Amino acid sequence: MTLAAFAFWVFALSAVASGLMVIASRNPVHSVLFLILAFISAAGLFVLMGAEYLAMLLVVVYVGAVAVLFLFVVMMLDVDFVEMKQGFLQYLPIGVAIAGLVVVELILAFAAWRMPSNAAFADGHPMATAGSALAAPGAPTNIEGLGLILYTDYVHYFQIAGMILLVAMIGAIVLTFRTREGLKKQDPAAQVARRRADSVELKKVKTGQGI
Amino acid sequence: MSLTLSETLFWVIPELMLAIGGMALLIAGVFLGDKSARMISTASIGLLLAALLVVVALNGGPAEDLFGGAFRIDAFSSFMKMLIFGAAALAILMSDKYLVGEQLGRFEYPVLIVLAAFGMALMASANDLIALYMGVEAQSLALYILAAFNRDSRRSTEAGVKYFVLGALSSCLLLYGASLVYGFTGATQFNAIAAAVGDEANVGVVIGLVFLISGLAFKVSAAPFHMWTPDVYEGAPTPVTAFFAAAPKLAAMALFARALITPFSEIADDWRPIIAVLAVASMAVGAFSAIVQSNIKRLMAYSSIGHMGFALIGLAAGTERGVGSVLIYMTIYAIMTVGAFACILLMRRRGGMTEAIEDLAGLTKTSPGLALILTILLFSLAGVPPTIGFFGKLFVFQAAVEADLVWLAIVGAILSVVSAYYYLRIIWLMWFNEPAPPFEREVGSRLGLTALASAALVFPALLVLMGPLIAAARAAASSLF
């Protein structure tokens, strides 16, 4: 077993195991921590596939931002998990039935998967061109490859993604931002403009008389 | 075939106008504050109408594939975009008074409708699985926000959250289906998928297609993926509901037709039964569940589910005729729905809006004009012969019969009779019951004019214009094949 194969098994097993623990552990904080482990294992798998940029992205974005956000949400929201689990047994049979059906479908689907024949590849089957650009020797690195297509072939999607984020931002502001009345705010300009003479007054107090 | 940048940008001028104009209006609104809401509404209507005119001007040439085939401008997309932009502009027009009355007059509202219309335009032109998904998301996010726009109302926020959670779930289904289709064909572009699929379907492609159809059925609210519709329609502010019932349905149906016909028309026998089942289920849910409703917005939700079922009959036929009949049906549906919602928005008494069907009792005695308009629209929604609604159903059934789906046409005819019951019940209530307290009079308002215009289209006008409409719809449908 080569080192790469060994690493693959370690990452793959830990990804599956931590994925199971996400839904199995009773404490939601533990669930989120296992989710982070699953992300890191997946990042390892990406590195093994030669997609080092995606691996970095997964760690920085998902582990660094999304999972930590989850953690905050889980800790801040007081969700009663016992109450949420009520009715679980009631829906179990139909849930298991549907899940079983989907699993059978997926087994059928993946059993039917074939690599396109060599002739189809020679004919320029879409699958032949899909991965070859990056696999060729002397191919650009991940980031170069992404940079080459992101603003050229995929500029349409890139721009729409920007618009979607804009809409999401408008939504967050529309639904949560309130201008509150009577709020005390700091006014730095007024603070700086204030002078000693405006606020300090010296009084001579005679002994034994007070003001 | 590859176009230069300026040529590409030339063809997407309508979308660019909406995106850039929407952002400009947003900035204007931020600087001018909510006082400018009315002005920004007017500007948004102008923007949408200008985009509509550009679509009309660009229409007529051969189909153009832009951005590596991801975005397609053809007669089909132009037809749908005209309808969508028109419906969106009307939705803003109809909202004005309601929003001010409910203290919701905020400048983000028209901007969000413009951005939603931008997403819908992307959906109508999407010719690639990635473009499909991104168009759907651009549109849906704006719709989720609009549903929850009345954020101080419990029902509105509930509608927003419900729509968001179920919408996210349906997007998951859509993405899962798209990934399976990509895995088995190696392509995301529709024409490339068609080439890879050939005429015999791989099991994996079919399973992917089932997931894809489920996700799209959610977006058009076809049964059994309709659960969100009544709650969202009832909870959302009424003008938002009026918008939901027209433009997004048009866009989703356009996407549905293109995503089935372009890549999968060779394997139509595999998806035809699924669409037929969706159609029958939607018509049945629309017909039977609507009978027990007492809230008119909920009733309209079930009515729209039923109408989507009729439109899907045409799609199930899968022929050029069938798609043409879907386009005609959706046009007629949009006109009727906009008119009906204009009437609902006129149900205002001193102290607020009413939504109960009982409030319409004896309307002929209190406001005869409104009663007459609503009667015409309801007859048309029911599909009673002299009105345009009848012809919509007729063309759909005709297409089904031509595609050897006689049973589907018969089931559709029976269920349309059942659904006629609840429309006629409202008419009976308006004409023959003791009058309820009268509504506030609004003579010559924008809403009244919208209702009047759509009723005039539904009854005599469109019958005269039927020829051009059919010709346009057929030309649009033929560009898909």
Side-chain angles (χ1 to χ4, degrees):
Chain A
M1 195 153 71
T2 63
L3 186 62
F6 177 71
F8 170 78
W9 285 110
V10 170
F11 285 131
L13 285 177
S14 87
V16 173
S18 48
L20 277 177
M21 287 307 290
V22 172
I23 49 172
S25 64
R26 289 186 165 271
N27 187 335
V29 176
H30 294 175
S31 284
V32 178
L33 293 175
F34 275 113
L35 187 67
I36 294 176
L37 184 58
F39 282 146
I40 291 176
S41 316
L45 290 174
F46 271 134
V47 170
L48 290 177
M49 283 194 288
E52 70 274 357
Y53 182 65
L54 276 183
M56 291 263 293
L57 222 55
L58 202 64
V59 172
V60 173
V61 176
Y62 281 84
V63 177
V66 176
V68 173
L69 190 72
F70 278 8
L71 209 55
F72 273 120
V73 170
V74 166
M75 290 196 294
M76 303 274 271
L77 289 183
D78 188 20
V79 183
D80 189 350
F81 286 93
V82 180
E83 194 186 335
M84 271 174 70
K85 277 181 185 160
Q86 272 175 1
F88 178 74
L89 279 178
Q90 188 189 342
Y91 294 115
L92 192 63
I94 185 158
V96 168
I98 293 174
L101 214 65
V102 174
V103 167
V104 171
E105 273 185 8
L106 291 184
I107 291 172
L108 280 176
F110 287 106
W113 199 83
R114 299 271 178 284
M115 274 305 272
S117 65
N118 285 335
F121 262 100
D123 276 352
H125 188 281
M127 241 174 238
T129 50
S132 58
L134 287 179
T141 63
N142 276 200
I143 299 179
E144 277 175 319
L146 278 175
L148 283 175
I149 56 169
L150 196 56
Y151 296 98
T152 52
D153 297 353
Y154 288 81
V155 66
H156 180 54
Y157 308 131
F158 190 69
Q159 294 293 336
I160 304 176
M163 290 302 293
I164 294 175
L165 290 178
L166 174 71
V167 173
M169 195 174 78
I170 298 174
I173 295 171
V174 167
L175 296 180
T176 58
F177 179 73
R178 284 169 202 274
T179 41
R180 275 188 282 172
E181 301 292 322
L183 210 61
K184 289 199 167 109
K185 278 186 190 157
Q186 221 177 350
D187 184 355
Q191 286 176 330
V192 173
R194 200 168 172 197
R195 294 158 51 145
R196 179 177 168 277
D198 301 335
S199 49
V200 183
E201 198 183 339
L202 282 181
K203 292 238 175 184
K204 271 212 156 54
V205 182
K206 284 189 179 149
T207 325
Q209 285 190 350
I211 301 177
Chain B
M1 86 141 236
S2 96
L3 300 166
T4 63
L5 179 64
S6 54
E7 281 169 324
T8 306
L9 292 184
F10 174 73
W11 288 107
V12 295
I13 285 178
E15 285 78 12
L16 283 178
M17 281 169 68
L18 290 185
I20 296 172
M23 287 190 271
L25 289 176
L26 187 67
I27 292 172
V30 170
F31 278 105
L32 299 176
D34 283 334
K35 293 186 296 293
S36 65
R38 217 186 156 99
M39 193 193 79
I40 289 187
S41 287
T42 316
S44 306
I45 295 171
L47 188 65
L48 283 164
L49 293 181
L52 194 155
L53 286 181
V54 175
V55 173
V56 174
L58 291 179
N59 188 19
E64 294 283 343
D65 276 316
L66 310 175
F67 304 110
F71 194 82
R72 193 174 163 87
I73 308 276
D74 54 14
F76 180 80
S77 74
S78 301
F79 186 91
M80 290 320 268
K81 277 179 204 171
M82 289 178 218
L83 285 181
I84 290 165
F85 294 165
L90 276 178
I92 302 178
L93 190 76
M94 296 200 304
S95 320
D96 204 31
K97 181 142 194 191
Y98 178 95
L99 292 181
V100 174
E102 305 278 311
Q103 330 267 288
L104 289 173
R106 305 174 64 190
F107 71 88
E108 287 97 343
Y109 179 82
V111 172
L112 281 170
I113 289 193
V114 168
L115 293 176
F118 165 76
M120 291 172 206
L122 297 176
M123 286 163 73
S125 276
N127 201 29
D128 184 297
L129 290 174
I130 307 175
L132 173 155
Y133 177 69
M134 304 205 74
V136 165
E137 285 307 300
Q139 173 237 21
S140 305
L141 268 178
L143 297 189
Y144 304 147
I145 302 163
L146 286 171
F149 201 74
N150 190 0
R151 60 186 187 185
D152 296 321
S153 143
R154 208 188 157 91
R155 282 164 63 206
S156 177
T157 42
E158 185 194 321
V161 170
K162 215 171 241 179
Y163 195 14
F164 176 66
V165 172
L166 290 176
L169 182 71
S170 82
S171 290
C172 289
L173 290 178
L174 198 73
L175 270 184
Y176 195 60
S179 74
L180 277 175
V181 171
Y182 174 60
F184 279 88
T185 60
T188 57
Q189 209 270 334
F190 285 173
N191 301 90
I193 292 175
V197 168
D199 52 3
E200 39 128 18
N202 186 307
V203 163
V205 175
V206 175
I207 292 178
L209 187 54
V210 170
F211 279 108
L212 208 59
I213 291 175
S214 311
L216 290 171
F218 178 93
K219 302 292 177 197
V220 295
S221 75
F225 303 98
H226 64 283
M227 300 299 184
W228 58 277
T229 321
D231 291 342
V232 172
Y233 276 38
E234 190 188 352
T238 314
V240 174
T241 313
F243 177 57
F244 280 6
K249 292 279 166 84
L250 295 167
M253 195 52 91
L255 190 67
F256 212 153
R258 198 191 286 276
L260 282 183
I261 301 294
T262 308
F264 302 113
S265 62
E266 294 285 318
I267 55 167
D269 287 334
D270 284 303
W271 52 259
R272 185 171 288 133
I274 307 174
I275 303 294
V277 166
L278 286 178
V280 171
S282 308
M283 290 186 297
V285 166
F288 291 110
S289 308
I291 293 174
V292 294
Q293 301 306 322
S294 59
N295 179 305
I296 189 124
K297 281 160 80 181
R298 255 187 121 75
L299 180 99
M300 287 305 290
Y302 282 108
S303 154
S304 89
I305 295 169
H307 281 289
M308 289 307 116
F310 288 108
L312 284 175
I313 291 182
L315 193 56
T319 56
E320 202 176 310
R321 264 283 167 95
V323 175
S325 71
V326 173
L327 294 183
I328 298 172
Y329 197 91
M330 292 308 289
T331 312
I332 294 169
Y333 164 79
I335 295 170
M336 298 185 303
T337 310
V338 166
F341 271 103
C343 293
I344 293 171
L345 282 164
L346 282 169
M347 291 168 61
R348 172 193 296 278
R349 292 215 180 101
R350 197 171 296 278
M353 306 289 298
T354 53
E355 294 174 0
I357 293 174
E358 271 72 40
D359 288 321
L360 288 167
L363 195 66
T364 40
K365 296 179 189 82
T366 53
S367 36
L370 181 62
L372 188 66
I373 289 172
L374 193 53
T375 305
I376 293 175
L377 289 167
L378 288 172
F379 268 127
S380 180
L381 281 165
V384 175
T387 57
I388 195 83
F390 168 73
F391 292 97
K393 290 200 168 73
L394 183 70
F395 290 129
V396 169
F397 293 153
Q398 225 173 7
V401 171
E402 276 172 24
D404 290 331
L405 289 168
V406 182
W407 68 271
L408 194 55
I410 293 172
V411 172
I414 293 170
L415 287 171
S416 84
V417 172
V418 176
S419 69
Y421 165 74
Y422 59 82
Y423 298 118
L424 296 178
R425 187 172 66 111
I426 302 176
I427 295 174
W428 180 78
L429 209 66
M430 288 196 302
W431 287 80
F432 303 115
N433 266 28
E434 283 304 304
F439 299 129
E440 270 180 34
R441 287 265 175 149
E442 291 180 44
V443 181
S445 67
R446 291 169 168 189
L447 282 171
L449 288 177
T450 311
L452 181 67
S454 55
L457 276 176
V458 160
F459 185 45
L462 256 189
L463 293 177
V464 183
L465 295 172
M466 205 62 193
L469 175 64
I470 294 173
R474 296 249 160 95
S478 70
S479 68
L480 277 192
F481 288 87

